[in-house]
Amino acid sequence: MLKVVKFGGSSLASAEQFKKAGDIVKAEECRRYVVPSAPGKRFKGDTKVTDMLYACYALAEADKNFSKELSAIKARYQEIMDGLSVTLDIDGEFKEIEKNFKAKAGKDYAASRGEYLNGKVMAAYLGFEFVDPADCILFDENGDFKPQESNELLAERLGKTAYAVIPGFYGAKADGTVTTFSRGGSDITGSVVSRAVNADIYENWTDVSGVMVVDPGIVPNPAVINTITYRELRELAYMGATVLHEDAIFPVRREGIPINIRNTNAPEDPGTMIVESTLKKSDYTITGIAGHKGFVSVNIEKDMMNSQIGYCRKILSAFEENGVSIEHMPSGIDTMTVFVRETDFEAKEQNILAAIHKYAKPDMIELESGLALIAVVGRGMKSMRGTAGRIFSALAHAKINVKMIDQGSSELNIIIGVKNEEFDEAIRAIYNIFVETQI
Amino acid sequence: MLKVVKFGGSSLASAEQFKKAGDIVKAEECRRYVVPSAPGKRFKGDTKVTDMLYACYALAEADKNFSKELSAIKARYQEIMDGLSVTLDIDGEFKEIEKNFKAKAGKDYAASRGEYLNGKVMAAYLGFEFVDPADCILFDENGDFKPQESNELLAERLGKTAYAVIPGFYGAKADGTVTTFSRGGSDITGSVVSRAVNADIYENWTDVSGVMVVDPGIVPNPAVINTITYRELRELAYMGATVLHEDAIFPVRREGIPINIRNTNAPEDPGTMIVESTLKKSDYTITGIAGHKGFVSVNIEKDMMNSQIGYCRKILSAFEENGVSIEHMPSGIDTMTVFVRETDFEAKEQNILAAIHKYAKPDMIELESGLALIAVVGRGMKSMRGTAGRIFSALAHAKINVKMIDQGSSELNIIIGVKNEEFDEAIRAIYNIFVETQI
């Protein structure tokens, strides 16, 4: 058994949090490769070290004095090291950083120092080897990650050490220029490391006990999902659920390595397992609910539409030409409705309508804005008859007007359209029927 | 008040039926223009006069003797005339027909004689003027109906007579060649006449008391629809409900003339009113249910599909290129399902799959055949919350697995996909919940 453990910023924000992370690593001999983020917020209103670094570097780039700002960052690390009784030549590191900031080493370099220094502290604290990803995670000239080369380099480098700390978020181009993934990219580093060492599990430690069935901003203290497939997670994430950096899924998914989302503050909780596929049933028929406000529906009617080959394609062309992505397009007989994001549609509205008229000569076009889409996702829905009945009965009972329903034969999810103002209530109604009452 | 009354073949199959039709015409002074079909079946296993004419003419065209067959047709009319005590020079008519058959006057001419002769009998029986549509319903050289010219000619001709019989089904080209509408085309004649005389109502008399909520082959003695809009009727007709010839709707719809489907054998029944729009509520929330077996679903999955502009359009192109019409295309996140008719799809299957692969590089394509689609149609669904809940609860209760759900924001209908073998049961379940129990 071999585990890669990645800790998020809140899990490493202070010496106290660092100790919890250390205890977690030490609790299992197999937790041999550790990927730390930069220190996050210690309390509400606090500033993440990454943001402090960006601000500090902005001053350097504008040739302004940044010594006060850099000292504040140094103080964050000093506080952690003091709390952990770790001794490190942090002065030398910060002299080097100061020099490079003055030489304008780049925004990516600046941001990466948060993880770099945290990796140094973590390695010293655990007694693990420090492996700098600048040597083994590669980006091309355009700043795009090179997965294959990185995997080979990392596998070779980590093959030489049984216990290592590899800071998240960054790597370097062939010429040595430090380059970062997009924000939240430590998740990707953890995934890439897991692939390289062929881990059995990629543990992703954060401040929640897993992926929740529903947004806790809508339903307080919702149930946690026990096991979720990559596909289900992608569906929930697309509709707004934020758990992992999206690009963190591909490296491990390809290798069949499950991701375990865990809570640093409640290590006894089993968290959520994210897997390729599973026979394990969801606890509640559905796996999760997610949604988004701010959609527009464009309803198009045309006599005999259904008998005209290529009619729908013509309508979609009108959106494509204007660079607007289609979300859903349920259809009746001689009528089709296209759902798009309001922000995408607004600026192009008249161009799109003109193009529809030109290509498709509809009898009628009707617009409706202020709509929300809700995805009810679950691999278990396929085998349970009556899921749709339960959903729509619950919505009817809550007096919610269903504007759209879309369920393809993948049967992994049902998409429901409601008005923005009924969005929260609709989600609560669906959550209640499946999770609370479980009738 | 002015009414055009059209009688179907079963309403004029025998002297007895003819009398009922005559009583109906005489019952209201305003029933001034009568459009008869050819005599239909008198009993199960009987042959319609139109089919007798086609068979007889096929012999003539092959230079075979057809005198026995023509006599049988003559006998049908003689029987009707005897029963009605109508005297007409039918011998002269049949000599003329025999001559024209021998001269190969055409299949359309042959078929049209059924309506022509029935019109003669009806005119004599009612004491109305006989107006030959060969003089006032025009077709172009390709056999396509010319609506505008016909309307002008008919309006002028019928403006000269207060009471007339105009046989259905046929007209003529500019050179006088008799030409017919497609089968069932007397419905169109009735509609065209209604427009020309600016009727208040177009009464279409047949052998059922109106449009039924559901196919009586699936639910015995179903409820009759009181009032239905043209749009609703089109949706039901598209999904298999057979009531009127589809082309019969346009002439009257444009003029706002309602169609009243009535039962010659039960003239006391109010029948179904087909109208452009109405505030009148349906009796049962839903207006009707119709459906079709024999669909295939093509389920396409592709990671990040939802983020790619134009992805759906590419997939639809693959179908369009192969001349296959899309029925419905519900979508999830990163997955879309295309429903097509099995008969359209079968021959093109591999071409379409190859084109999808070429244009859209999907991660997975899955086919499922043996599916049926059901349309639950109703203008009242929009204002009634919970319609979807009732439908899906009913289906769940009947243990039917819902393969697809599609409801756009027109909210006029919900399309449901089920397996072929569960089609009848699903329709019965939906009918029961809305019409029988009305809970």
Side-chain angles (χ1 to χ4, degrees):
Chain A
M1 174 70 79
L2 173 57
K3 290 182 179 179
V4 170
V5 286
K6 179 257 168 183
F7 291 97
S10 62
S11 303
L12 303 171
S14 63
E16 188 195 356
Q17 288 300 90
F18 238 93
K19 280 181 188 158
K20 291 184 193 166
D23 289 346
I24 287 163
V25 174
K26 288 172 204 153
E28 292 189 24
E29 175 67 20
C30 62
R31 288 178 175 138
R32 284 168 34 202
Y33 298 102
V34 179
V35 177
S37 301
K41 294 181 183 180
R42 291 159 295 184
F43 45 83
K44 223 186 144 188
D46 195 16
T47 307
K48 293 177 178 179
V49 166
T50 305
D51 289 319
M52 295 170 83
L53 284 160
Y54 277 128
C56 182
Y57 184 70
L59 291 171
E61 217 171 21
D63 294 318
K64 291 185 180 156
N65 185 295
F66 59 87
S67 58
K68 204 185 84 195
E69 286 72 15
L70 198 59
S71 301
I73 295 166
K74 191 176 165 190
R76 289 287 307 263
Y77 287 99
Q78 196 60 58
E79 184 191 298
I80 292 170
M81 290 195 300
D82 291 349
L84 299 174
S85 310
V86 161
T87 44
L88 258 183
D89 177 16
I90 200 176
D91 289 340
E93 294 288 359
F94 271 87
K95 283 221 177 73
E96 175 82 10
I97 291 170
E98 189 180 358
K99 194 187 76 187
N100 289 330
F101 271 34
K102 282 180 174 160
K104 298 178 184 161
K107 216 178 145 190
D108 279 13
Y109 167 80
S112 75
R113 295 305 91 184
E115 277 74 11
Y116 169 83
L117 291 165
N118 232 19
K120 287 278 183 180
V121 175
M122 178 64 99
Y125 179 57
L126 293 174
F128 282 20
E129 187 175 348
F130 175 83
V131 172
D132 193 339
D135 302 329
C136 39
I137 290 186
L138 271 185
F139 289 81
D140 68 14
E141 308 74 50
N142 304 318
D144 288 327
F145 173 57
K146 297 177 82 171
Q148 206 43 50
E149 291 84 340
S150 302
N151 188 53
E152 284 161 20
L153 279 172
L154 260 176
E156 201 200 328
R157 180 68 188 80
L158 297 177
K160 293 177 188 155
T161 175
Y163 300 90
V165 172
I166 310 99
F169 190 40
Y170 74 98
K173 294 179 184 171
D175 67 359
T177 312
V178 167
T179 309
T180 63
F181 291 109
S182 58
R183 201 80 196 249
S186 292
D187 284 337
I188 308 175
T189 307
S191 183
V192 167
V193 168
S194 299
R195 179 186 171 202
V197 302
N198 198 13
D200 294 291
I201 295 178
Y202 166 23
E203 287 183 346
N204 190 299
W205 292 82
T206 177
D207 55 359
V208 288
S209 289
V211 184
M212 293 171 189
V213 171
V214 65
D215 179 356
I218 296 172
V219 176
N221 302 313
V224 167
I225 298 168
N226 185 311
T227 307
I228 188 170
T229 65
Y230 288 121
R231 271 206 68 80
E232 290 175 314
L233 185 68
R234 158 75 182 146
E235 309 220 355
L236 292 176
Y238 185 81
M239 290 303 273
T242 51
V243 187
L244 267 183
H245 192 295
E246 200 153 64
D247 294 338
I249 288 177
F250 297 101
V252 286
R253 181 176 185 176
R254 195 181 318 165
E255 305 295 317
I257 302 167
I259 303 174
N260 189 193
I261 307 285
R262 300 286 293 265
N263 189 348
T264 303
N265 304 316
E268 65 286 1
D269 289 348
T272 299
M273 284 296 256
I274 308 172
V275 299
E276 176 62 37
S277 67
T278 178
L279 290 173
K280 205 163 176 176
K281 286 196 175 136
S282 292
D283 295 337
Y284 313 103
T285 306
I286 62 161
T287 300
I289 311 161
H292 238 317
K293 292 183 187 179
F295 290 92
V296 170
S297 74
V298 183
N299 182 34
I300 297 147
E301 296 194 6
K302 165 96 173 164
D303 261 337
M304 302 294 177
M305 179 195 290
N306 262 50
S307 319
Q308 289 182 34
I309 291 170
Y311 196 85
C312 299
R313 203 249 326 135
K314 284 183 199 163
I315 288 174
L316 296 189
S317 299
F319 289 87
E320 185 182 356
E321 264 177 21
N322 286 286
V324 171
S325 188
I326 300 290
E327 296 297 324
H328 296 283
M329 39 179 184
S331 54
I333 316 293
D334 299 342
T335 157
M336 72 181 278
T337 307
V338 178
F339 282 79
V340 290
R341 285 176 197 255
E342 207 154 359
T343 47
D344 292 356
F345 183 71
E346 260 178 354
K348 307 289 183 63
E349 180 186 282
Q350 293 309 316
N351 293 351
I352 291 171
L353 296 186
I356 294 174
H357 274 289
K358 189 172 130 201
Y359 298 145
K361 304 198 184 1
D363 296 335
M364 201 195 70
I365 302 184
E366 217 170 33
L367 299 178
E368 183 166 3
S369 63
L371 297 175
L373 293 180
I374 298 169
V376 182
V377 175
R379 61 190 182 280
M381 285 159 49
K382 193 164 189 155
S383 54
M384 278 294 289
R385 285 199 190 93
T387 309
R390 289 162 76 190
I391 293 173
F392 296 110
S393 297
L395 292 176
H397 193 72
K399 300 206 190 322
I400 284 154
N401 224 327
V402 175
K403 309 289 291 181
M404 184 270 255
I405 309 172
D406 208 345
Q407 184 212 300
S409 65
S410 85
E411 289 178 71
L412 189 65
N413 63 26
I414 297 181
I415 311 281
I416 300 152
V418 299
K419 287 186 184 168
N420 275 347
E421 18 338 340
E422 299 187 325
F423 175 71
D424 286 13
E425 195 51 40
I427 286 190
R428 276 193 286 269
I430 298 168
Y431 180 84
N432 283 342
I433 199 97
F434 285 103
V435 181
E436 294 293 335
T437 54
Q438 293 186 41
I439 55 156
Chain B
M1 174 71 80
L2 173 58
K3 290 182 179 178
V4 170
V5 286
K6 180 256 168 185
F7 291 97
S10 62
S11 302
L12 302 171
S14 64
E16 188 194 355
Q17 289 299 91
F18 239 92
K19 280 181 189 160
K20 290 185 194 166
D23 288 347
I24 288 164
V25 174
K26 287 172 207 153
E28 293 191 21
E29 175 68 20
C30 63
R31 287 175 176 142
R32 283 169 34 204
Y33 299 101
V34 179
V35 177
S37 301
K41 295 180 183 180
R42 290 160 295 184
F43 44 83
K44 224 186 147 187
D46 195 16
T47 308
K48 293 177 179 178
V49 165
T50 305
D51 290 319
M52 295 170 83
L53 284 161
Y54 278 127
C56 181
Y57 184 70
L59 292 172
E61 216 170 21
D63 293 318
K64 290 184 183 157
N65 185 297
F66 59 87
S67 57
K68 204 185 84 193
E69 285 72 16
L70 198 60
S71 299
I73 296 167
K74 191 175 164 191
R76 289 286 307 262
Y77 287 99
Q78 196 59 58
E79 185 191 297
I80 292 170
M81 291 194 301
D82 290 350
L84 299 175
S85 311
V86 160
T87 45
L88 259 183
D89 177 16
I90 200 174
D91 289 341
E93 295 287 358
F94 272 88
K95 282 219 177 76
E96 175 83 10
I97 291 171
E98 188 178 0
K99 193 187 75 184
N100 289 329
F101 271 33
K102 283 182 175 158
K104 297 179 183 160
K107 216 178 145 189
D108 280 12
Y109 167 80
S112 75
R113 295 306 91 185
E115 277 74 11
Y116 170 82
L117 291 164
N118 231 18
K120 287 277 182 182
V121 175
M122 179 63 99
Y125 179 58
L126 292 174
F128 282 20
E129 186 174 351
F130 175 82
V131 172
D132 193 338
D135 302 329
C136 39
I137 291 186
L138 271 185
F139 289 81
D140 68 14
E141 307 75 51
N142 304 317
D144 289 327
F145 174 56
K146 297 176 83 170
Q148 207 44 51
E149 291 83 340
S150 303
N151 188 53
E152 284 161 21
L153 279 172
L154 260 176
E156 200 199 328
R157 179 69 185 81
L158 298 176
K160 293 178 190 155
T161 175
Y163 299 91
V165 172
I166 311 101
F169 191 39
Y170 75 98
K173 295 180 185 171
D175 66 0
T177 313
V178 167
T179 307
T180 63
F181 291 109
S182 59
R183 199 83 196 246
S186 293
D187 284 339
I188 309 175
T189 307
S191 184
V192 166
V193 169
S194 299
R195 181 186 169 202
V197 301
N198 199 14
D200 294 292
I201 296 180
Y202 167 22
E203 286 183 346
N204 190 300
W205 292 82
T206 177
D207 55 359
V208 287
S209 289
V211 184
M212 291 171 190
V213 171
V214 67
D215 179 356
I218 296 173
V219 176
N221 302 314
V224 167
I225 298 168
N226 184 311
T227 307
I228 188 170
T229 66
Y230 289 120
R231 271 206 68 81
E232 290 175 313
L233 184 68
R234 157 77 182 147
E235 309 220 352
L236 292 175
Y238 185 81
M239 290 304 272
T242 51
V243 186
L244 267 185
H245 193 295
E246 203 155 61
D247 294 338
I249 288 176
F250 297 101
V252 285
R253 183 175 184 178
R254 195 181 315 164
E255 306 295 317
I257 302 167
I259 303 174
N260 189 192
I261 308 285
R262 299 287 291 267
N263 190 347
T264 303
N265 304 315
E268 65 285 2
D269 288 348
T272 299
M273 283 297 257
I274 308 173
V275 298
E276 176 62 39
S277 67
T278 177
L279 289 172
K280 204 163 176 176
K281 286 192 176 141
S282 291
D283 294 337
Y284 312 104
T285 305
I286 62 162
T287 301
I289 312 161
H292 238 316
K293 292 184 186 179
F295 290 90
V296 170
S297 74
V298 183
N299 182 31
I300 297 147
E301 296 194 6
K302 165 95 174 167
D303 262 337
M304 303 292 174
M305 178 194 292
N306 261 51
S307 318
Q308 288 181 34
I309 291 169
Y311 195 84
C312 299
R313 204 250 325 135
K314 284 182 199 164
I315 287 173
L316 296 190
S317 299
F319 289 87
E320 185 182 355
E321 265 177 21
N322 286 286
V324 171
S325 187
I326 300 291
E327 296 297 323
H328 297 283
M329 39 180 184
S331 55
I333 315 293
D334 298 342
T335 157
M336 72 180 278
T337 308
V338 178
F339 282 79
V340 290
R341 283 174 198 257
E342 206 154 359
T343 46
D344 293 355
F345 183 71
E346 259 178 354
K348 307 290 183 64
E349 181 185 280
Q350 294 308 316
N351 293 352
I352 292 171
L353 296 185
I356 295 174
H357 274 289
K358 189 172 130 201
Y359 297 145
K361 303 194 183 4
D363 297 335
M364 200 195 72
I365 302 185
E366 218 170 32
L367 298 178
E368 182 166 4
S369 63
L371 296 176
L373 294 181
I374 298 169
V376 182
V377 174
R379 62 191 181 278
M381 285 159 51
K382 194 163 188 156
S383 54
M384 278 294 290
R385 284 196 192 96
T387 309
R390 289 162 76 191
I391 293 173
F392 296 109
S393 298
L395 292 175
H397 193 71
K399 301 207 192 318
I400 284 153
N401 224 327
V402 176
K403 310 289 290 181
M404 184 270 256
I405 309 173
D406 209 345
Q407 183 212 299
S409 65
S410 84
E411 290 176 71
L412 189 64
N413 64 24
I414 297 180
I415 312 282
I416 300 152
V418 299
K419 288 184 183 168
N420 276 347
E421 17 341 338
E422 299 186 325
F423 175 70
D424 286 12
E425 194 52 40
I427 286 190
R428 276 193 285 269
I430 298 169
Y431 180 84
N432 283 341
I433 199 97
F434 285 103
V435 181
E436 292 294 336
T437 54
Q438 293 187 41
I439 56 158

